[in-house]
Amino acid sequence: MDTNKSLSEKIVVGLDIGTTKIATIVGKRNEYGKLDIIGMGKSESVGVMRGVVANIKSTVDSIILSVKEAEENSGITIKEVYVGIAGQHIKSMQQRGSLIRGVDNDNEIEQVDIDKIVQSLEQIAMPSGEEIIHIIPQEFKIDNETGVINPIGRSGSRVEADCHVITGHINAIRDIKKCVERAGLICKGLFLEPLASSDAVLTDEEKEAGVVLVDIGGGTTDIAIFQNNIIRHTAVIPFGGNIISSDIKEGCGIITSQAEQLKIKFGSALATSNAENEVVSIPGLRGRPPKEISVKTLAQIIQARVDEILDSVYYEIKASKFDKKLGCGLVLTGGGAQLRHIRHRAEMMTGLQARIGYPNEHIAKGTDDLKSPMYATSVGLVMKGFQNEDRFKDEIIANTPGDKVVEKGKNPRTDIFGIGTLLDIFFPAEEKDKEIK
């Protein structure tokens, strides 16, 4: 069997279960490493509120519709997916783990040593109902030497690791997995959505210089802060584009669908950008006369809520203590990043430079729709999937005598909690697998 050929033609599917939409992206890689999107499907998300499954049956039905459309567009049958997780239940904290290797231990530090540190952190006491999703090593201390990024291959008797631990509610995690399984799919990996989005829209240079990813979704705004190529802080703000639409609905006395159309077509995050006499006419309901809405009033409603979201973003930036180390400022992505003048408002509110993050840098072939910020997470999940497949391919080849392929056992990188996945992302070279519990 030609392992290289079979795996190089691999097709990966990303499933983004969002608050407003469920997107299924089918992709493969071309010879230049870019993504060819060969199919996509999108359905209205019914059953998800602020990133959390509120109704399993409705969510399953929405997933099935999205996947079916992606199958029809791509001409393949989808069985396995890489899934994103977000929601206001996500929390993060810093933990330090350590390993005593012995004074007389002259052996070089190996992946198994890092695994032992992570395994020790898996045992930390968690609040009731919460569970670890990711453990991400950041920096290491070897004996008295601090600031070590990759300790593998170094010598030392004591190794300490500062780790970023991301947690979520057990029920929320299980409900997502349950929805995927009931839709007839296998969840090959579960990734925190802002980490997937960051792969799709951030450059390595930005991550090194310091950057804040702000993913404004329908139900939540997800934040990931990088500096020196290390994830430093993550947070989820329980407000997104839907709350802006809700404010428009209440403030203008219209229905939800009209509020959403107003936001998309005429909305602005900067109230001063509109003249006083600009108005939009909204058709009346059931024969009632049309209603005129001031575009400036609309912008004032939107700006008030956008400012609240950006205030929360700035609070998280300050809380990270990396506010003075962000050479590349903000990158705004997600559906909410399409709002007019939101970049300017973000710069005014935070004092940092900002740009809109598009996933098109990584897409070689696909529809123009996919180059929108709203698909950053979906594209990022496909990229995460390929990272997983590449590492698993290397394992198969390494364990294959001649042309005989060793049968796959449990792959820790596809574990639902993703701990092995993120370890390998940060230490991809001299890795030795560990078995996830």
Side-chain angles (χ1 to χ4, degrees):
M1 176 179 177
D2 188 344
T3 305
N4 285 308
K5 182 177 179 181
S6 64
L7 290 172
S8 66
E9 296 174 353
K10 184 74 179 180
I11 290 175
V12 166
V13 182
L15 178 63
D16 178 13
I17 305 174
T19 301
T20 57
K21 73 178 188 315
I22 293 180
T24 306
I25 306 293
V26 184
K28 64 179 182 179
R29 275 191 308 207
N30 63 20
E31 62 271 28
Y32 304 107
K34 296 271 190 176
L35 290 180
D36 284 340
I37 305 302
I38 61 176
M40 69 164 291
K42 184 177 73 170
S43 66
E44 180 184 359
S45 182
V46 181
V48 179
M49 296 186 65
R50 292 188 176 178
V52 178
V53 175
N55 185 301
I56 290 177
K57 184 182 183 305
S58 297
T59 304
V60 170
D61 291 342
S62 296
I63 292 173
I64 290 172
L65 285 175
S66 175
V67 170
K68 183 179 180 182
E69 183 180 346
E71 288 179 330
E72 291 172 351
N73 290 333
S74 64
I76 70 165
T77 299
I78 297 173
K79 296 181 180 179
E80 301 174 332
V81 293
Y82 287 91
V83 185
I85 184 169
Q88 61 189 93
H89 64 99
I90 299 293
K91 297 178 182 177
S92 65
M93 58 182 174
Q94 297 297 117
Q95 290 288 333
R96 172 168 287 192
S98 62
L99 174 69
I100 304 296
R101 305 179 70 240
V103 178
D104 298 327
N105 193 338
D106 293 330
N107 294 331
E108 296 176 351
I109 297 170
E110 299 178 344
Q111 181 66 47
V112 66
D113 297 313
I114 309 302
D115 294 343
K116 288 177 181 178
I117 296 175
V118 172
Q119 285 171 346
S120 69
L121 291 178
E122 291 175 36
Q123 309 306 317
I124 59 177
M126 296 296 300
S128 177
E130 292 190 9
E131 193 159 346
I132 294 173
I133 300 173
H134 297 312
I135 298 177
I136 310 174
Q138 295 175 312
E139 291 182 327
F140 293 82
K141 179 180 179 182
I142 303 175
D143 295 335
N144 293 320
E145 182 183 358
T146 60
V148 178
I149 302 300
N150 187 353
I152 295 175
R154 305 284 295 273
S155 297
S157 59
R158 179 183 176 89
V159 183
E160 298 177 62
D162 291 326
C163 295
H164 190 64
V165 181
I166 300 171
T167 67
H169 287 177
I170 293 174
N171 289 338
I173 297 169
R174 289 177 178 171
D175 283 347
I176 284 208
K177 186 180 179 184
K178 189 181 297 182
C179 289
V180 173
E181 290 175 345
R182 289 191 182 179
L185 304 167
I186 297 172
C187 179
K188 290 203 71 180
L190 191 69
F191 292 96
L192 188 67
E193 291 191 355
L195 297 182
S197 299
S198 68
D199 272 11
V201 303
L202 298 182
T203 66
D204 291 339
E205 292 79 9
E206 286 175 324
K207 290 180 181 179
E208 181 179 354
V211 67
V212 183
L213 176 82
V214 182
D215 189 342
I216 308 172
T220 62
T221 297
D222 304 329
I223 299 170
I225 298 178
F226 294 84
Q227 198 274 332
N228 199 22
N229 284 315
I230 297 172
I231 180 109
R232 302 292 185 174
H233 185 75
T234 54
V236 177
I237 298 168
F239 303 115
N242 282 3
I243 197 73
I244 297 174
S245 300
S246 178
D247 286 353
I248 296 171
K249 173 186 174 182
E250 297 297 326
C252 298
I254 54 180
I255 62 176
T256 301
S257 60
Q258 292 174 331
E260 187 67 23
Q261 290 177 22
L262 269 180
K263 181 182 73 174
I264 294 171
K265 293 182 179 179
F266 304 101
S268 169
L270 203 58
T272 55
S273 65
N274 300 107
E276 295 283 352
N277 59 350
E278 288 185 82
V279 295
V280 178
S281 181
I282 303 295
L285 301 176
R286 304 285 293 184
R288 294 175 176 83
K291 176 177 291 189
E292 289 191 344
I293 307 293
S294 165
V295 177
K296 190 174 186 66
T297 299
L298 174 66
Q300 288 171 340
I301 294 171
I302 293 173
Q303 181 181 307
R305 183 60 77 174
V306 167
D307 285 357
E308 183 179 359
I309 293 172
L310 292 173
D311 274 338
S312 297
V313 170
Y314 190 63
Y315 172 84
E316 293 295 340
I317 293 172
K318 297 289 284 187
S320 75
K321 296 183 170 54
F322 282 88
D323 52 306
K324 305 297 184 184
K325 301 178 180 180
L326 300 172
C328 289
L330 308 176
V331 175
L332 307 173
T333 194
Q338 299 175 109
L339 190 62
R340 282 193 308 137
H341 302 118
I342 193 165
R343 179 179 67 84
H344 300 89
R345 195 60 190 169
E347 291 179 337
M348 294 170 65
M349 293 293 293
T350 65
L352 297 169
Q353 290 183 339
R355 74 171 178 89
I356 306 300
Y358 298 90
N360 53 352
E361 179 182 344
H362 303 282
I363 299 176
K365 185 176 72 174
T367 65
D368 289 338
D369 290 344
L370 279 176
K371 297 178 180 179
S372 164
M374 75 166 62
Y375 293 106
T377 298
S378 309
V379 173
L381 287 170
V382 176
M383 295 175 65
K384 288 289 188 191
F386 274 114
Q387 292 173 15
N388 238 30
E389 300 296 333
D390 286 345
R391 286 187 295 273
F392 195 39
K393 176 182 70 175
D394 292 340
E395 291 169 10
I396 293 177
I397 295 171
N399 291 283
T400 303
D403 288 333
K404 181 180 177 181
V405 177
V406 176
E407 184 178 352
K408 295 189 241 181
K410 181 180 178 183
N411 179 13
R413 293 172 186 75
T414 64
D415 183 85
I416 189 70
F417 302 114
I419 295 172
T421 301
L422 281 159
L423 273 176
D424 292 331
I425 289 172
F426 281 84
F427 305 106
E430 307 86 353
E431 62 191 54
K432 289 188 177 180
D433 294 334
K434 82 184 183 74
E435 199 69 26
I436 301 295
K437 296 179 181 179

